[in-house]
Amino acid sequence: MTDDRRDSRGRQRSAARSRGDRSRTAAAPSQRRRWTDPARTAAFDVLREVDGSDAYANLVLPPLLRDRRITGRDAAFATELAYGTLRLRGRYDAVLAHCIDRPLDRVDPPLLDVLRLGTHQLLGMRVPTHAAVSETVALARDRVGAGPAQMVNAVLRRVADTPLDEWLDRLRDDAPDPVTASAVVGSHPVWIARALREALAGDGRDPAELDDLLDADNAAPRVTLVARPGLVTPDDVRADAPDTLTLDPGRWLPTALVLRGQDPLSVPAVADGRAGVQDEGSQAVALALAAAPLDGRDERWLDLCAGPGGKASLLGALAAQRGATLLANEVAPHRANLVRKALRALPEGVAAVRTGDGREVGEQEPGAYDRVLVDAPCTGLGALRRRPESRWRRTPADLTVLTGLQRELLASALDAVRVGGVVAYVTCSPHLAETRVVVDDVLRRRTVDGQPGAERLDAPAALRAVVTPGTDLPLGERLDAQLWPHVHGTDAMHLTLLRRVR
């Protein structure tokens, strides 16, 4: 939620002054307010790009703001308007269904996006009602047409007639069951809400936490940095940062810093690769792999699915401190280039990047590595707060393809690690089909005559070994570990640690 009230019409004052009030008054009624301010236009264009090109908002919005020279409070307004509308689209569609006399799938997509933007201003932002309505009508005239703009005016006034709390009560009353009610109010597809509820129960947590989890998915995440050990200290990162930025200690890890500001590249250590942008959960699982107990040689490490390189760069920094080397394997050439960029600050000879299919590494290099990370491609249900549009793109059918790939990658990793070596199986998803079910199935297939091919290690213990001393990291009573946005303030990272025994 933003505290940006702008002027009495919700627009930037400079734009209003530059056009002149008298010229607008003299215009014909059908031509009045055909333009809107750049922030709202930018948010609309992001929504159209996301819908029309399957783009990701976090990749579309920053360059758009730069190209249009939208900065400061206007940039913050556009960011909240675009991301907030994407996150809460499900809730707003349910509200709009009460205010429109046709099914939403019969509303032209550009018009529906305008209505969603207006609804977010009314129900999710501190924009006065008259400003939200008039500016959204102006946006509709500018981008959709005068006729639809009249509909926008009528629909948004119906939305504004009912306070948010009453809308939420109405949506709950409409739902056929409690999970559907949580999904609609919390703006998630019902199948995802059900899967998250099952994952909470599977981790020994109260399924009633579902509403808190969905709310956490709808909150903008903090920008978190990692100070890569041996390359830079957190104190050095702070000392070199611009005075306009504030860097606070991370909640859990000594490597983590929380940035108050939106320009991490203005931090010198980030710009040169000694530090990076990385969620604390992602840092934690990489650190835990490095901390897992190992007997014998500890010289060769492998990141099996390394793109875009965040975990690889952290593992590479740790490997350099121990005299080990890291091979970062990535199947996609363009992502392999991102890995090379992420590793640029490491000492020469510590890390190498290879383009190849991770499913083939175990057969090509059996028993060659001491520590292996499998950061498996997944649904990303643990990072919905970062990519709000992804919840509306994923379907249950995706699980069939992804879980098959996850099994093959984990099996390859267990072939690639030596006997006594450790594999970390990581997903940015708490879905049980992508976590526990995959691991159970792979371990079952590797059991011969009752003898397991690999055994589980204590992942919570490995995580607790890397947190800031004196910090109590709450985790379930299991050998695997699950982090949660509403509990830990991180992405919902899953970690299973396995030791190969034969």
Side-chain angles (χ1 to χ4, degrees):
M1 182 177 293
T2 182
D3 196 31
D4 184 359
R5 291 181 178 272
R6 297 146 79 81
D7 68 9
S8 63
R9 290 180 293 277
R11 292 183 292 107
Q12 61 185 78
R13 292 179 175 85
S14 59
R17 287 196 296 267
S18 66
R19 293 178 179 265
D21 294 337
R22 287 180 296 178
S23 64
R24 293 200 306 275
T25 303
S30 63
Q31 297 299 315
R32 287 180 192 166
R33 308 289 295 111
R34 288 186 63 86
W35 53 273
T36 188
D37 69 277
R40 286 180 172 86
T41 302
F44 172 80
D45 290 344
V46 168
L47 264 60
R48 296 310 310 137
E49 190 73 15
V50 166
D51 180 65
S53 303
D54 282 340
Y56 286 102
N58 66 324
L59 300 180
V60 173
L61 182 59
L64 187 151
L65 294 176
R66 286 195 300 270
D67 291 346
R68 300 184 186 180
R69 298 181 181 179
I70 301 173
T71 60
R73 298 184 71 184
D74 285 334
F77 186 90
T79 300
E80 165 55 25
L81 183 54
Y83 288 176
T85 300
L86 286 169
R87 289 188 182 99
L88 295 173
R89 193 185 90 176
R91 174 191 294 178
Y92 295 151
D93 282 0
V95 169
L96 288 168
H98 283 274
C99 302
I100 299 177
D101 59 359
R102 72 186 85 161
L104 294 191
D105 60 7
R106 293 179 56 193
V107 179
D108 288 341
L111 175 57
L112 186 55
D113 277 343
V114 169
L115 289 167
R116 289 164 174 160
L117 289 166
T119 303
H120 185 52
Q121 292 172 69
L122 290 168
L123 301 182
M125 299 176 71
R126 299 182 63 179
V127 178
T129 297
H130 67 278
V133 174
S134 65
E135 290 295 330
T136 306
V137 169
L139 175 65
R141 284 199 182 102
D142 185 44
R143 291 306 178 97
V144 185
Q150 297 177 12
M151 173 188 172
V152 170
N153 182 66
V155 170
L156 292 185
R157 292 194 181 281
R158 292 187 199 115
V159 172
D161 282 343
T162 302
L164 175 61
D165 289 346
E166 293 183 23
W167 273 123
L168 298 184
D169 289 342
R170 187 179 301 183
L171 299 183
R172 290 188 186 95
D173 292 341
D174 289 345
D177 58 74
V179 176
T180 301
S182 294
V184 174
V185 170
S187 195
H188 284 63
V190 175
W191 77 270
I192 290 180
R194 294 192 188 283
L196 294 176
R197 187 178 187 276
E198 292 173 1
L200 285 166
D203 194 39
R205 305 199 67 87
D206 186 347
E209 294 177 21
L210 176 62
D211 288 340
D212 290 337
L213 174 54
L214 301 185
D215 286 344
D217 276 351
N218 291 328
R222 304 177 302 174
V223 177
T224 304
L225 306 183
V226 56
R228 291 164 180 155
L231 301 180
V232 71
T233 68
D235 288 341
D236 290 338
V237 175
R238 287 192 197 92
D240 292 342
D243 293 338
T244 55
L245 297 181
T246 300
L247 289 165
D248 299 319
R251 182 177 178 184
W252 305 111
L253 301 173
T255 55
L257 294 161
V258 178
L259 174 65
R260 292 192 214 169
Q262 298 298 320
D263 187 15
L265 286 176
S266 66
V267 179
V270 174
D272 64 25
R274 293 172 296 145
V277 177
Q278 189 172 29
D279 178 71
E280 216 166 349
S282 294
Q283 296 179 44
V285 295
L287 293 169
L289 169 60
L294 190 71
D295 294 328
R297 188 191 70 196
D298 192 11
E299 300 171 356
R300 300 189 68 193
W301 298 6
L302 169 66
D303 186 345
L304 196 64
C305 313
K311 296 181 184 69
S313 58
L314 180 52
L315 286 173
L318 297 169
Q321 289 185 310
R322 301 191 195 176
T325 60
L326 172 74
L327 175 65
N329 181 83
E330 170 55 44
V331 67
H334 72 282
R335 287 171 63 85
N337 288 333
L338 294 176
V339 178
R340 291 185 182 94
K341 182 177 179 181
L343 300 177
R344 65 191 183 279
L346 294 178
E348 186 175 354
V350 169
V353 180
R354 182 175 67 190
T355 302
D357 191 334
R359 293 171 294 183
E360 300 172 357
V361 174
E363 181 179 356
Q364 294 170 347
E365 298 181 90
Y369 296 95
D370 306 305
R371 297 182 191 269
V372 179
L373 172 65
V374 187
D375 185 15
C378 66
T379 57
L381 300 188
L384 296 180
R385 59 195 188 135
R386 297 188 185 281
R387 290 193 165 176
E389 62 284 301
S390 64
R391 71 186 73 179
W392 312 116
R393 293 177 179 169
R394 286 297 187 189
T395 70
D398 294 330
L399 288 168
T400 301
V401 175
L402 288 167
T403 54
L405 175 60
Q406 290 157 4
R407 286 173 171 83
E408 291 179 278
L409 289 168
L410 179 54
S412 177
L414 287 169
D415 287 337
V417 78
R418 66 171 174 82
V419 173
V422 177
V423 171
Y425 176 73
V426 171
T427 63
C428 190
S429 169
H431 198 302
L432 294 179
E434 298 186 89
T435 57
R436 194 174 310 166
V437 173
V438 166
V439 175
D440 287 347
D441 190 43
V442 171
L443 291 183
R444 183 169 53 252
R445 294 180 185 183
R446 301 180 77 86
T447 299
V448 179
D449 296 330
Q451 298 299 312
E455 61 183 4
R456 288 181 173 86
L457 300 179
D458 191 337
L463 285 169
R464 292 188 176 108
V466 300
V467 299
T468 302
T471 302
D472 182 19
L473 181 67
L475 294 169
E477 298 297 324
R478 296 180 48 81
L479 288 178
D480 55 21
Q482 181 65 56
L483 301 175
W484 297 100
H486 68 298
V487 177
H488 305 100
T490 68
D491 293 343
M493 303 297 298
H494 172 87
L495 173 66
T496 295
L497 291 174
L498 301 172
R499 177 187 288 126
R500 182 176 174 181
V501 297
R502 60 168 178 80

